[in-house]
Amino acid sequence: QAQPLDRTEEQARKEGLTNGKVPPPDRRMPKIMCSLYTMSSSHASTIRAIRETWAGGCDGFLAFSTESDPRIPAISIPHDGPEEYNNMWQKIRSIWRFVGTHYIDEFDFFFIGGDDLFVLPQNLREYLWVLGDPEEDWFVGRRFKPRPGGEFNSGGAGYALSRSTLRKFLSQMEEERCKATQHTAMEDVMIARCLENMHGITYHDTRDDENRERFHPFAPGLHYVWHPPKEGQPADWYEQYNKEWGVLLGKDCCAPDSVSFHYIKKPAMVRHISSLLYQCGKKGNLRGQ
């Protein structure tokens, strides 16, 4: 289910939230900034498709790329080490530093992910609206637990920090306990360890009341057909990472107010999903005829 990208607070309160919850009467609908990391080669393809579809539902949007382009808008910022996948942690550190320096007082929550995500911004906004105050410590996404004490939110599914959490991360991100100089692809693990070690902030269970997930590390179709390996088959990392709480199968894989899906790599698929969510039910279009 997808609400209009421009749904106002007044409309949301009157019509009801997708998640069925009721936000506190004295808490305004939060403002969300969405940040993506990408490459200049994707500006005219994937980023353009995202910009023309779901990105408009974010209150703020900025792509961090290898080249700046104000038309997107995209910006290139320096970071320590080479521009490569195995140095994602340094790139993410630079992105959070830039976002915190320039936007921390303009938005309530800050979402980050790669350019192969499809995000439903209004579902994210309404989930966070009910969840808590941005001046509280929130770190939300798709939790994984590969081993005891190794919990983190999947970078592939994207994750969000409240204003308070971002402020605390920035205050001590250069400390050695935050692995400030390490070069690694595991940026999601690194920020999770930093937040927990320095501030006691850990992941949050983001499932709905029926234990269906909201943040998804795969595309919709793969979640729908995924099954754990049969006896005698090789172990599956996805099953292991979710072993403590389990994975629901089939249509129960995904909450009606899902927030994000990963591995949406083709611009045509970005537009296709957007059309299914936001156009097919309108009067004069397909089912709404």
Side-chain angles (χ1 to χ4, degrees):
Q1 298 179 17
Q3 299 295 343
L5 293 173
D6 59 353
R7 187 153 90 136
T8 65
E9 177 175 337
E10 181 180 4
Q11 291 172 322
R13 288 190 182 277
K14 180 179 179 180
E15 299 166 0
L17 306 192
T18 306
N19 56 31
K21 304 293 184 180
V22 178
D26 58 345
R27 184 186 301 158
R28 64 175 176 80
M29 182 186 287
K31 295 179 66 177
I32 310 295
M33 179 175 181
C34 301
S35 299
L36 294 184
Y37 42 87
T38 187
M39 306 284 283
S40 60
S41 58
S42 297
H43 286 188
S45 54
T46 305
I47 296 300
R48 181 178 178 181
I50 289 173
R51 197 70 183 89
E52 293 175 354
T53 56
W54 64 260
C58 302
D59 298 289
F61 174 83
L62 190 56
F64 291 87
S65 184
T66 51
E67 292 182 11
S68 296
D69 186 341
R71 296 171 297 178
I72 293 177
I75 185 170
S76 175
I77 56 175
H79 59 77
D80 184 55
E83 180 69 46
E84 62 181 21
Y85 177 73
N86 288 329
N87 196 35
M88 280 300 302
W89 174 226
Q90 292 302 325
K91 184 165 187 170
I92 294 299
R93 279 170 30 84
S94 292
I95 291 173
W96 281 129
R97 186 185 298 112
F98 185 94
V99 169
T101 299
H102 296 281
Y103 298 107
I104 198 164
D105 294 321
E106 294 186 31
F107 301 94
D108 301 303
F109 291 88
F110 302 84
F111 180 86
I112 193 169
D115 62 6
D116 55 352
L117 273 175
F118 190 98
V119 180
L120 289 82
Q122 189 62 20
N123 285 354
L124 173 61
R125 184 180 292 108
E126 293 183 4
Y127 169 69
L128 295 172
W129 191 9
V130 174
L131 181 67
D133 192 282
E135 291 303 332
E136 298 170 344
D137 296 335
W138 295 106
F139 174 39
V140 299
R142 177 57 181 271
R143 57 181 182 158
F144 281 158
K145 188 175 183 179
R147 62 186 183 282
E151 304 88 347
F152 65 97
N153 281 324
S154 164
Y159 56 86
L161 308 182
S162 63
R163 184 167 51 241
S164 175
T165 297
L166 178 56
R167 187 177 288 118
K168 288 182 178 179
F169 172 64
L170 295 173
S171 71
Q172 294 185 303
M173 65 181 293
E174 302 301 334
E175 299 291 333
E176 183 54 37
R177 290 177 66 190
C178 277
K179 307 296 182 182
T181 60
Q182 187 163 336
H183 291 193
T184 175
M186 299 187 296
E187 58 86 13
D188 45 10
V189 175
M190 293 296 103
I191 193 169
R193 296 287 73 73
C194 176
L195 291 174
E196 184 172 17
N197 292 340
M198 302 300 292
H199 306 290
I201 301 172
T202 187
Y203 66 82
H204 183 73
D205 183 353
T206 55
R207 296 175 297 176
D208 70 3
D209 292 341
E210 297 182 31
N211 294 326
R212 296 171 295 189
E213 299 284 358
R214 289 186 167 99
F215 295 77
H216 306 288
F218 305 134
L222 183 53
H223 280 291
Y224 184 76
V225 301
W226 183 88
H227 281 81
K230 297 179 180 178
E231 186 176 350
Q233 292 181 332
D236 185 298
W237 71 265
Y238 184 61
E239 180 184 30
Q240 294 299 315
Y241 281 27
N242 293 276
K243 189 172 183 178
E244 183 172 314
W245 42 82
V247 177
L248 298 185
L249 306 180
K251 63 180 179 60
D252 293 325
C253 68
C254 310
D257 62 324
S258 286
V259 167
S260 65
F261 290 94
H262 190 205
Y263 292 125
I264 312 300
K265 293 180 176 292
K266 295 182 178 180
M269 183 56 69
V270 175
R271 291 190 170 90
H272 179 66
I273 294 175
S274 180
S275 294
L276 290 174
L277 289 172
Y278 299 109
Q279 299 297 323
C280 289
K282 289 186 176 181
K283 185 176 181 179
N285 288 282
L286 299 179
R287 291 177 297 176
Q289 289 182 345

